[in-house]
Amino acid sequence: MKQDIGIGLLGLGVIGSGVANILLNKVDTLTEKVGAPLVLKKILVHDITKKRQVVTDTSLLTTNVEDVIDNPEVDIVIELIGGERPALDYIKQALANGKHVVTANKEVIAKYGYDLLALANKHRTYLRYEASVGSGIPLISSLQHDLAANEISTIYGILNGTTNYVLTKMSQEGLSFSAALQQAQNLGYAEANPSNDIQGTDAAYKLAILSSLAFYTTIDPKDIYCQGISHLEAQDFRYAKEFGYTIKLLAIAKRHGDSIEVRVHPSFIPQWSQLAKVDDVYNAVQIEGDLAGKLIFYGEGAGSLRASSAVIADVLAIAGNVRNMIGNVTEPQINQNLDVQAISELHTRYYFRLKVADRPGVLAQISKALGDNDISISSVIQKESDLTSQTAVLVIMTHRAQEKAVQKALADLHSLELVQEVSNFIRVEA
Ligand code: HSE
């Protein structure tokens, strides 16, 4: 049996500091759980001279990554640098050196998870990544272990706290997109590069990880249809409410036999649904399995303490095995090669907002353009007639239609002289 478990940390930012704080200050509790002390041996930082509150012993710090990933005293490497490079290279090198790895890195796991798990298995080491999706919400291990007996049919996720905050403010306070985003940035919620949040990329990485696990396949994030939230306007939220809906950035995965639908985009969802009530920076994931039924996981999807909860849990799970000298013999499981459905094949309901000339015969022409494309209107409301410019806003909800036809119909509408603007279209999930 090993007498103590050596830990190396890559990165001492917000999450890294939270993790270091727990490792340095919860020694007794952690030792009790593992049966041996977890000893923080080295931490990779950019700048050793920077004053830090959590780590005062500067001999723990290094700017040389080899001091962590090649260090014979280190058993488990925790990667909290984020982003693709150099984090990916460090993780590979650590695994090849026989180190176990814990990471919160959604981009690396979404893009290279399968290869890294295979590499870990080759070296009999463990790779865990619970914090990569939903931070402290226990999603990864639930899919890997607790739901293993299920055939999963659907995943609906609100997986990005920043965009959920922005959408909540637009819906509840009528703020514009840019004013709400500014608030989110002032509160420190957005990623260093907020476009990853806003364009849906962050949610797509997380959906790739969840759906790969749920469907025993590999989903490349590049294959996930992804649309962000910057085109939404406060009036879309007002009209959504009139129809009994709210708007959320949903990450959706659905199994259809040998193919899978994976998409991230703003969706109308019914106000009565549980996901509609997930506000501010909260995340939630609804998973449906044939045995467990519908489950909802809900919590804060970001922040130092929340991520530390998941990172330290992964460390504890590995440390127990390190203590007993049990190496990883589990090969990554891929049983299905599921085709990713093109977005043009999607069947759902749609919301359109148009700016049109306010004169006789307009509705007839619009419903003809939709009807010609096999799209049936479920309701239509005329809004905000402007007497001076003789224009009006038309808000239309359709019955189920095919995306391909909807795109064609939008182009047809655009070319009508009486349609001044196709202002927005949003998919409806109901
Ligand atoms: N920027 C992410 C979010 C943080 O807003 O949810 C956690 O991945």
Side-chain angles (χ1 to χ4, degrees):
M1 267 203 215
K2 260 186 115 339
Q3 293 314 300
D4 65 26
I5 317 290
I7 310 287
L9 186 55
L10 303 176
L12 198 53
V14 176
I15 304 178
S17 302
V19 167
N21 189 25
I22 293 166
L23 289 172
L24 294 169
N25 295 310
K26 274 193 150 188
V27 175
D28 291 347
T29 321
L30 299 179
T31 305
E32 207 175 296
K33 288 185 193 246
V34 178
L38 301 178
V39 185
L40 188 52
K41 300 281 183 183
K42 271 292 174 213
I43 307 172
L44 177 74
V45 292
H46 271 306
D47 177 6
I48 283 185
T49 59
K50 190 171 154 187
K51 273 256 165 300
R52 295 165 206 276
Q53 297 207 316
V54 173
V55 182
T56 44
D57 174 3
T58 52
S59 72
L60 279 176
L61 305 180
T62 178
T63 54
N64 179 7
V65 69
E66 317 294 328
D67 293 342
V68 182
I69 59 180
D70 279 348
N71 186 333
E73 293 183 3
V74 168
D75 299 292
I76 304 173
V77 171
I78 307 175
E79 184 277 309
L80 298 173
I81 302 171
E84 184 173 330
R85 306 265 168 180
L88 173 64
D89 306 314
Y90 295 168
I91 292 173
K92 279 185 179 167
Q93 190 57 48
L95 293 171
N97 287 346
K99 311 295 181 200
H100 309 284
V101 173
V102 172
T103 179
N105 196 318
K106 60 213 150 193
E107 184 171 354
V108 161
I109 295 298
K111 291 180 179 172
Y112 308 103
Y114 179 81
D115 293 341
L116 292 174
L117 286 166
L119 183 66
N121 177 246
K122 181 175 160 203
H123 294 281
R124 298 220 151 192
T125 55
Y126 294 95
L127 169 65
R128 295 183 67 110
Y129 48 94
E130 183 62 62
S132 63
V133 184
S135 220
I137 308 172
L139 289 165
I140 307 291
S141 65
S142 299
L143 282 168
Q144 285 172 327
H145 306 292
D146 309 314
L147 296 174
N150 284 260
E151 281 183 40
I152 307 288
S153 52
T154 50
I155 300 175
Y156 286 109
I158 294 175
L159 294 174
N160 182 270
T162 304
T163 46
N164 203 38
Y165 180 86
V166 169
L167 299 183
T168 304
K169 292 289 150 187
M170 290 178 79
S171 174
Q172 294 180 354
E173 296 174 24
L175 292 191
S176 68
F177 165 73
S178 45
L181 176 61
Q182 190 59 57
Q183 272 197 12
Q185 285 180 301
N186 294 346
L187 291 164
Y189 295 146
E191 295 280 289
N193 174 5
S195 66
N196 268 359
D197 295 307
I198 297 314
Q199 291 169 4
T201 318
D202 177 84
Y205 288 149
K206 295 168 180 168
L207 183 64
I209 297 172
L210 293 183
S211 49
S212 296
L213 282 172
F215 303 110
Y216 288 84
T217 188
T218 44
I219 301 293
D220 187 329
K222 284 205 294 293
D223 294 336
I224 297 182
Y225 172 82
C226 192
Q227 181 192 36
I229 64 163
S230 57
H231 62 291
L232 299 175
E233 293 181 31
Q235 55 184 309
D236 294 314
F237 291 85
R238 289 203 302 275
Y239 301 144
K241 265 183 213 158
E242 286 189 33
F243 286 119
Y245 290 84
T246 191
I247 306 172
K248 293 289 181 192
L249 181 70
L250 278 198
I252 302 169
K254 292 185 192 175
R255 173 94 189 255
H256 304 285
D258 289 339
S259 70
I260 179 172
E261 191 183 306
V262 271
R263 48 195 169 99
V264 172
H265 53 73
S267 296
F268 268 42
I269 55 172
Q271 274 170 350
W272 49 259
S273 65
Q274 279 170 303
L275 289 179
K277 299 179 180 81
V278 175
D279 285 329
D280 298 315
V281 281
Y282 279 85
N283 283 194
V285 181
Q286 181 182 306
I287 299 176
E288 183 160 5
D290 59 340
L291 306 177
K294 265 187 203 159
L295 303 168
I296 298 216
F297 297 80
Y298 170 84
E300 288 172 57
S304 166
L305 281 182
R306 310 296 171 255
S308 302
S309 165
V311 168
I312 299 287
D314 278 347
V315 170
L316 291 175
I318 295 173
N321 289 335
V322 173
R323 167 111 168 108
N324 295 308
M325 305 211 174
I326 303 170
N328 175 21
V329 289
T330 317
E331 286 180 42
Q333 289 286 307
I334 293 192
N335 300 336
Q336 333 261 3
N337 269 323
L338 302 178
D339 289 330
V340 173
Q341 234 179 47
I343 191 73
S344 55
E345 300 304 314
L346 176 67
H347 275 86
T348 193
R349 300 180 63 206
Y350 291 81
Y351 152 97
F352 303 139
R353 173 162 59 83
L354 312 173
K355 194 168 175 195
V356 298
D358 194 5
R359 58 173 198 247
V362 169
L363 270 181
Q365 285 196 48
I366 288 172
S367 55
K368 179 169 185 323
L370 295 177
D372 286 349
N373 285 293
D374 225 12
I375 299 168
S376 163
I377 294 175
S378 114
S379 33
V380 55
I381 313 178
Q382 179 168 331
K383 291 281 179 189
E384 298 176 25
S385 294
D386 181 334
L387 291 178
T388 325
S389 64
Q390 293 195 305
T391 57
V393 172
L394 271 191
V395 184
I396 298 171
M397 289 284 276
T398 74
H399 288 295
R400 277 170 76 81
Q402 193 178 35
E403 175 96 9
K404 209 185 310 180
V406 167
Q407 294 299 343
K408 166 78 171 39
L410 289 174
D412 291 352
L413 287 173
H414 202 72
S415 64
L416 290 179
E417 173 267 327
L418 54 88
V419 173
Q420 296 199 349
E421 189 182 273
V422 177
S423 315
N424 229 331
F425 91 100
I426 301 173
R427 298 173 186 89
V428 179
E429 200 61 39

